[in-house]
Amino acid sequence: MAYTPTGRMDERLSKTVIPKLAEKYGKSMAQIIIRWHIQLGNIPIVNTTSKKHFDENYDVFDFQLLPEEVEAITAANINSRLRYDPDNCDFRQL
């Protein structure tokens, strides 16, 4: 399960392969990220209060990323933690 699966659209994502893929497929960066999660077998839980974004978030089943594109996104680590680092957090104290 992916919590905050689009990384809150951190501006550093624009320096990855994601914008090029968005242009290639005629999709938004968020749609590319959601599709990537789906292809990895993750369950992206996406939140929005915008009807436009809600509809956009579900419009990700009419294309598929190539295996090398999935790998390129996976390799695009911007080293950002939006919440707790699961490798270095004592969850008993939360």
Side-chain angles (χ1 to χ4, degrees):
M1 184 180 336
Y3 175 82
T4 315
T6 60
R8 296 190 179 165
M9 297 311 298
D10 186 305
E11 64 186 39
R12 292 174 285 179
L13 292 170
S14 65
K15 297 176 183 157
T16 69
V17 68
I18 295 169
K20 291 177 186 167
L21 294 174
E23 184 177 334
K24 174 184 174 180
Y25 289 103
K27 298 292 183 179
S28 69
M29 287 179 35
Q31 288 173 303
I32 296 297
I33 295 167
I34 292 167
R35 183 67 211 180
W36 169 75
H37 277 294
I38 290 168
Q39 286 186 228
L40 288 177
N42 296 334
I43 301 167
I45 298 175
V46 183
N47 183 28
T48 183
T49 58
S50 162
K51 168 98 168 84
K52 176 183 179 259
H53 289 160
F54 180 86
D55 292 340
E56 185 179 273
N57 290 341
Y58 285 97
D59 187 23
V60 296
F61 296 101
D62 60 345
F63 75 104
Q64 189 165 343
L65 299 167
L66 299 173
E68 58 269 21
E69 295 168 339
V70 171
E71 290 176 24
I73 295 170
T74 301
N77 181 0
I78 62 170
N79 199 26
S80 174
R81 293 282 184 206
L82 299 174
R83 295 304 246 178
Y84 306 103
D85 179 349
D87 297 326
N88 297 299
C89 182
D90 183 357
F91 290 101
R92 296 171 294 173
Q93 296 185 18
L94 295 179

